[in-house]
Amino acid sequence: MGGGGAAKGWLGQMGFTKSGGSINWYPGHMAAATRAIRQRLKLSDFVIEVRDARIPLSSANEDLQPMLSGKRRVIALNKQDLANRNLMHKWISYFNSHKQECLPINAHSRSSVHKLLDLVEFKLKEVMAREPTLLVMVLGVPNVGKSALINSIHQIALSRFPVQEKMKKARVGPLPGVTQDIAGFKIAHRPSVYVLDSPGVLVPSIPDIETGLKLALAGSVKDSVVGEERIAQYLLAVLNTRGTPLQWKHLVDRETEDPRHELENKPESVIKDLQNKGKKPMNKSNAYRVQDMVSEVQRTLCITLSEFSGSLEDESDLEILIEHQFEALQKALKIPHKASEARIMVSKKFLTLFRTGKLGPVILDDVPDASDSVS
């Protein structure tokens, strides 16, 4: 869901970039990468198109769709653990109704990637019988998890074919645009199957404000291009118009209780989930503090929405609510009142909680009608 009619109108008024209008973020390497991808697509026998499960349509590269429509491919909806599982079956049905294979995955899960490889092998079974070498290309917009998927495929391939030459891991980073060239990795013998990794590429311009904000919220566009505050405003607009904070009413009801009890039954798994990638291991005390902060943020949003007396369908009322929530979140996140960059700090922390799934699973795109065209 995109945030409701009022949210859409309000987003149009606030503008997408400082000057308003469409987003233009097309670093020099993207133009060269797009040309290279187009050339390699012609030679590829199969395509794994990785998309973000939270934005199954918005994370499609529209410029490449005409070429992809004529290829054998599977749409891998990555980061399914961050998406609302109750809606995922609708997306699978939607893509299947348009004769497009779709598989929700978690690139960090070995069993999940195994299912993807089994599907690819099944789809290539006929071609394998007559071709000595096959190319499987992995592509998608920035930060949908392509490199993480490649690395997982490498680990599985090494266990399946331990005799093959040592393969270099794909680089993985938290920012879009980490993989800036195309490399091939051998994953099977007889026939030889190579997986081609590729850099994430966006279309040169994204004219639709809401699609651009969804990509920014998912991390496919650098925050600095759009601005953390605008992205956080959009997220609040979506959560409010969907009534999501009201689902956290139980936190308000037990305000005086210690939210740490949520971790006590499964501390190790939660601690692992709460710690940020690339950071030092988090101890239980730090995990409790993070959980406390998450609960306080959820409780704050629930209270502010519950006490809201305006109309979520009114753009001005929605803007007032969001402004009030920024002030309340500053207190919830314990950001000093006089901090010169308080709103930016609020935005960054709030976005981090969302992007790491701590605020709960979500799908930002609406499932289109079955009669609508599919990317």
Side-chain angles (χ1 to χ4, degrees):
M1 185 170 182
K8 292 181 179 180
W10 174 68
L11 289 171
Q13 292 297 320
M14 82 178 198
F16 188 35
T17 62
K18 290 182 179 179
S19 59
S22 63
I23 177 175
N24 291 281
W25 182 58
Y26 205 60
H29 74 268
M30 278 198 182
T34 299
R35 289 193 296 270
I37 287 173
R38 289 182 181 277
Q39 290 300 316
R40 285 162 176 77
L41 268 176
K42 296 176 183 177
L43 304 174
S44 298
D45 299 285
F46 196 88
V47 175
I48 299 175
E49 184 189 1
V50 187
R51 300 189 190 180
D52 191 313
R54 296 167 295 180
I55 46 175
L57 293 183
S58 297
S59 55
N61 186 318
E62 293 296 337
D63 281 5
L64 294 177
Q65 293 308 310
M67 289 191 70
L68 292 176
S69 62
K71 307 291 294 188
R72 297 182 184 87
R73 68 164 163 168
V74 59
I75 297 174
L77 296 179
N78 191 31
K79 305 183 182 182
Q80 66 168 346
D81 53 316
L82 301 180
N84 189 331
R85 291 177 179 266
N86 294 329
L87 296 177
M88 193 55 64
H89 73 280
K90 294 183 179 181
W91 281 104
I92 296 174
S93 298
Y94 172 70
F95 283 112
N96 287 344
S97 69
H98 289 81
K99 295 181 171 53
Q100 288 194 359
E101 198 77 41
C102 168
L103 183 67
I105 68 166
N106 179 351
H108 295 286
S109 166
R110 190 180 182 91
S111 61
S112 182
V113 178
H114 262 296
K115 291 180 181 179
L116 176 62
L117 292 180
D118 289 343
L119 177 60
V120 172
E121 185 176 348
F122 176 77
K123 292 295 182 181
L124 284 175
K125 191 173 183 179
E126 180 183 343
V127 186
M128 283 180 171
R130 63 174 185 267
E131 294 291 342
T133 302
L134 297 173
L135 299 179
V136 176
M137 190 166 194
V138 181
L139 55 77
V141 301
N143 208 40
V144 290
K146 298 180 308 302
S147 294
L149 176 59
I150 287 288
N151 288 340
S152 293
I153 291 174
H154 285 178
Q155 294 302 314
I156 293 173
L158 284 172
S159 64
R160 287 181 175 178
F161 310 100
V163 182
Q164 70 177 310
E165 62 271 24
K166 186 178 181 181
M167 295 178 294
K168 178 183 176 183
K169 278 191 174 184
R171 291 179 297 166
V172 180
L175 298 176
V178 171
T179 307
Q180 296 188 7
D181 55 8
I182 298 178
F185 306 95
K186 191 173 185 179
I187 64 165
H189 294 299
R190 299 178 183 175
S192 295
V193 179
Y194 289 86
V195 170
L196 302 180
D197 189 17
S198 62
V201 290
L202 287 170
V203 295
S205 180
I206 305 172
D208 179 67
I209 291 174
E210 194 169 10
T211 296
L213 282 166
K214 289 176 183 176
L215 287 167
L217 182 53
S220 294
V221 176
K222 290 180 180 179
D223 288 349
S224 57
V225 176
V226 182
E228 290 91 346
E229 189 174 334
R230 281 190 174 88
I231 304 172
Q233 287 174 328
Y234 170 68
L235 176 56
L236 285 171
V238 171
L239 294 177
N240 287 324
T241 53
R242 290 183 176 184
T244 302
L246 300 180
Q247 300 173 10
W248 303 322
K249 188 177 183 298
H250 64 284
L251 295 173
V252 179
D253 295 338
R254 66 164 192 257
E255 178 180 352
T256 58
E257 295 182 23
D258 187 352
R260 297 182 184 187
H261 79 276
E262 295 179 13
L263 295 178
E264 291 175 355
N265 293 330
K266 48 180 181 179
E268 298 303 326
S269 61
V270 174
I271 289 173
K272 183 178 179 181
D273 179 61
L274 289 175
Q275 66 185 30
N276 292 326
K277 295 176 184 178
K279 301 292 185 180
K280 293 181 179 180
M282 181 181 291
N283 58 39
K284 290 184 180 180
S285 177
N286 289 336
Y288 286 144
R289 283 197 291 270
V290 173
Q291 184 61 40
D292 288 347
M293 179 176 63
V294 171
S295 297
E296 184 61 22
V297 166
Q298 291 176 325
R299 195 176 71 85
T300 297
L301 294 181
C302 180
I303 291 174
T304 52
L305 181 56
S306 298
E307 295 177 347
F308 175 62
S309 59
S311 171
L312 292 174
E313 297 299 319
D314 184 273
E315 297 171 20
S316 298
D317 286 353
L318 180 59
E319 186 172 2
I320 292 172
L321 170 61
I322 291 174
E323 182 65 26
H324 176 53
Q325 288 176 324
F326 259 94
E327 296 174 359
L329 285 173
Q330 183 177 342
K331 295 179 181 178
L333 294 169
K334 295 181 171 57
I335 295 174
H337 179 68
K338 294 183 179 180
S340 58
E341 300 295 330
R343 290 181 70 90
I344 296 298
M345 294 171 65
V346 169
S347 299
K348 287 183 176 180
K349 288 191 175 184
F350 184 51
L351 291 175
T352 297
L353 292 179
F354 168 79
R355 288 167 175 167
T356 52
K358 297 179 182 65
L359 293 181
V362 69
I363 292 182
L364 297 171
D365 281 341
D366 280 326
V367 182
D369 294 331
S371 59
D372 291 350
S373 61
V374 62
S375 296

